[in-house]
Amino acid sequence: MARAATRPATTPEAGDAAERMLQILSEASRLFATNGYDGTSMRDIALACGISKSLLYHHFTDKDEIFAKVTLGSTRELYHYVFDRLPEAGPAERVRRFMTATGEYFQKYRWAWIASTTAFWNDPEQRRQKERMMWRDQYEGLIRTLIQEAIDAGEFRPVDVPLTGRLILSSLNWMHRWYRPEKGMAPPQIADAYCDMIFNGLVAPR
Amino acid sequence: MARAATRPATTPEAGDAAERMLQILSEASRLFATNGYDGTSMRDIALACGISKSLLYHHFTDKDEIFAKVTLGSTRELYHYVFDRLPEAGPAERVRRFMTATGEYFQKYRWAWIASTTAFWNDPEQRRQKERMMWRDQYEGLIRTLIQEAIDAGEFRPVDVPLTGRLILSSLNWMHRWYRPEKGMAPPQIADAYCDMIFNGLVAPR
DNA sequence: TAGCACGCTGACCGATCGGTTAGCGTCCCG
DNA sequence: CGGGACGCTAACCGATCGGTCAGCGTGCTA
């Protein structure tokens, strides 16, 4: 009956409970990213944490809440991570930083990032996903704003803004399907290389 | 006991059985694409086809075989579809056709395409996925070859070939996450617009 | 017309799923 | 030192999963 949310913040054990929740979210995000939502059972999460299945229900109401916490958290934080790092510079340079910062976030919080980007977009339980979609739209709106500003400043050609934003996000969002951390370039460098190609094009100058 | 694979091709009923299999594969690919592998039960597939669950096992050994047939089929056919449509033209023009032809295939066989691209890449049952991965590699090898030829011909700048291939494939592979057939541009036109941006770049000429 | 092949079904199986419940042990505090 | 709060668990629940099996009905064939 005693829910974790009602625990008094003054007790010294509050820190333990908070760490437990972080551990659960960490292991869960890794499992969700590796095996998918349906492919990850509550037993799997409990086993990975070294605790009983019942304890999961003392910290979260159900499986859906764990998943929502993972995906909403990473989506919201991605937006803030990127937004906070945009430099005071020309629009095109800000677009580049948008991409490299996203690569950094991917590098740091890879499992949660994969779990949220592979989450089914037409989820039946959309009420829980609404807030996540809001931050996703914020994130996409940000890159569109940056592109529009680059066009207005004369740094970009007058391209199709939504489609250009999708091209940039596609390159970043698809990365988890082929990127392996043990070899090759690091995600921020990959994002930077993508940026070079998209900015300057493939066609050789005449 | 009588397996579909052993049915004599001479009987008139063979046509019915083959159509049944196609119907099953069609409905299954739609369900897999919509709800994922684990989110689609054999009961769901049977219900969508208007048949009993048992009948599925007369045409396929198990659920995995249905999924393998869907994903392997679409991956193999994507390669051939694109390869067969490459024009006798300059390398850059062939890259463009690679992209638009992929858009055409996506438009035609959307469900099977989504089912196979959202299939988990680190599937535990990799023996079944091996042949699919082979065609996937063929497909990716094809775009790399075209890019390399464009560089050798002086049409492209000396870019990083694998990374350029990944940029192009990312733009196409991510399309199913935001594309809605009832509105906006058609997939081949989207692919063509992507091609323009990637070829010429975003940066305005000085 | 007798028989058989085959498309097809309903009932059933053990396993595993998400989630519940009763209660144990321990540590803090009055 | 007594009591209650809390972290935590084992056992259990109904539902649903993938897969099996015995057998029905029909239509072709000998």
Side-chain angles (χ1 to χ4, degrees):
Chain A
M1 191 65 66
R3 298 290 316 289
T6 63
R7 69 182 150 71
T10 55
T11 57
E13 281 73 22
D16 293 342
E19 284 176 17
R20 236 319 92 95
M21 288 185 68
L22 289 180
Q23 180 200 17
I24 292 172
L25 289 175
S26 170
E27 295 292 339
S29 65
R30 183 177 56 82
L31 289 169
F32 284 142
T34 308
N35 306 319
Y37 180 81
D38 290 312
T40 302
S41 71
M42 293 296 267
R43 286 167 179 82
D44 293 336
I45 299 174
L47 187 66
C49 296
I51 61 177
S52 75
K53 187 165 65 82
S54 310
L55 187 55
L56 294 176
Y57 291 94
H58 282 71
H59 293 289
F60 304 93
T61 62
D62 54 18
K63 182 182 177 182
D64 229 42
E65 193 188 61
I66 298 180
F67 188 71
K69 279 269 199 304
V70 168
T71 56
L72 168 60
S74 81
T75 306
R76 189 207 306 118
E77 285 160 20
L78 168 65
Y79 171 78
H80 286 118
Y81 185 96
V82 172
F83 185 85
D84 292 346
R85 276 158 186 80
L86 292 182
E88 302 271 354
E93 196 53 36
R94 285 159 66 87
V95 171
R96 178 183 297 273
R97 189 72 185 103
F98 177 98
M99 294 182 69
T100 58
T102 298
E104 289 171 16
Y105 189 87
F106 172 84
Q107 193 172 27
K108 276 192 178 178
Y109 309 101
R110 182 155 158 257
W111 294 129
W113 201 88
I114 293 177
S116 66
T117 54
T118 57
F120 263 97
W121 62 103
N122 49 2
D123 203 290
E125 196 70 29
Q126 286 193 338
R127 289 166 297 177
R128 276 240 166 86
Q129 305 284 325
K130 255 188 179 173
E131 195 182 350
R132 181 166 77 86
M133 290 310 173
M134 195 200 70
W135 287 109
R136 192 78 206 169
D137 291 345
Q138 284 272 321
Y139 177 74
E140 185 155 6
L142 178 55
I143 185 61
R144 288 187 186 183
T145 300
L146 298 180
I147 293 168
Q148 186 63 58
E149 288 173 356
I151 294 174
D152 294 341
E155 295 185 355
F156 281 179
R157 296 185 290 122
V159 289
D160 182 327
V161 174
L163 205 62
T164 304
R166 280 168 175 150
L167 173 62
I168 290 174
L169 296 187
S170 297
S171 68
L172 301 170
N173 288 338
W174 192 252
M175 205 161 50
H176 75 272
R177 287 300 295 268
W178 58 268
Y179 170 73
R180 292 294 171 268
E182 65 271 15
K183 60 177 179 180
M185 303 164 68
Q189 277 71 51
I190 295 169
D192 199 57
Y194 276 156
C195 190
D196 281 336
M197 290 192 279
I198 295 175
F199 275 21
N200 303 317
L202 303 180
V203 174
R206 303 172 178 280
Chain B
M1 191 66 66
R3 297 290 317 289
T6 62
R7 68 182 150 71
T10 55
T11 56
E13 280 74 21
D16 292 342
E19 284 177 18
R20 230 328 87 96
M21 287 184 68
L22 289 180
Q23 180 200 17
I24 292 172
L25 289 175
S26 170
E27 295 292 340
S29 65
R30 184 178 56 82
L31 289 169
F32 284 142
T34 308
N35 305 319
Y37 179 82
D38 291 312
T40 301
S41 70
M42 293 296 269
R43 286 167 179 82
D44 293 335
I45 299 174
L47 187 67
C49 296
I51 60 177
S52 74
K53 186 165 66 83
S54 310
L55 187 54
L56 295 176
Y57 291 94
H58 283 71
H59 293 290
F60 303 93
T61 61
D62 53 18
K63 183 182 178 183
D64 228 42
E65 193 188 62
I66 298 180
F67 189 70
K69 279 269 199 304
V70 168
T71 57
L72 168 60
S74 81
T75 305
R76 188 206 306 119
E77 285 161 20
L78 169 64
Y79 171 78
H80 287 119
Y81 185 95
V82 171
F83 185 85
D84 292 346
R85 278 159 186 78
L86 291 183
E88 302 272 354
E93 196 53 35
R94 285 158 66 87
V95 171
R96 179 184 297 273
R97 189 70 186 104
F98 176 99
M99 294 182 68
T100 57
T102 299
E104 289 170 18
Y105 189 87
F106 172 85
Q107 192 173 27
K108 275 191 179 178
Y109 308 101
R110 183 157 157 255
W111 294 130
W113 202 87
I114 294 177
S116 65
T117 55
T118 56
F120 264 97
W121 62 103
N122 49 2
D123 203 292
E125 196 71 29
Q126 284 193 339
R127 289 166 296 175
R128 277 236 166 89
Q129 304 284 324
K130 255 188 180 175
E131 194 181 350
R132 182 166 78 85
M133 290 310 173
M134 193 200 72
W135 287 108
R136 193 76 206 171
D137 291 346
Q138 284 272 322
Y139 177 73
E140 185 155 5
L142 178 56
I143 185 61
R144 289 188 186 183
T145 300
L146 298 180
I147 293 168
Q148 186 62 58
E149 288 173 356
I151 294 174
D152 294 341
E155 295 186 355
F156 281 0
R157 295 186 289 122
V159 289
D160 181 327
V161 173
L163 205 62
T164 305
R166 279 167 176 151
L167 173 62
I168 289 175
L169 295 187
S170 297
S171 68
L172 301 170
N173 288 338
W174 192 252
M175 204 161 50
H176 75 272
R177 288 300 294 269
W178 59 267
Y179 171 73
R180 292 295 170 268
E182 64 272 15
K183 59 176 177 179
M185 303 163 68
Q189 278 71 52
I190 295 169
D192 199 58
Y194 276 157
C195 190
D196 281 337
M197 290 192 279
I198 294 175
F199 274 23
N200 304 316
L202 304 179
V203 173
R206 303 172 177 280

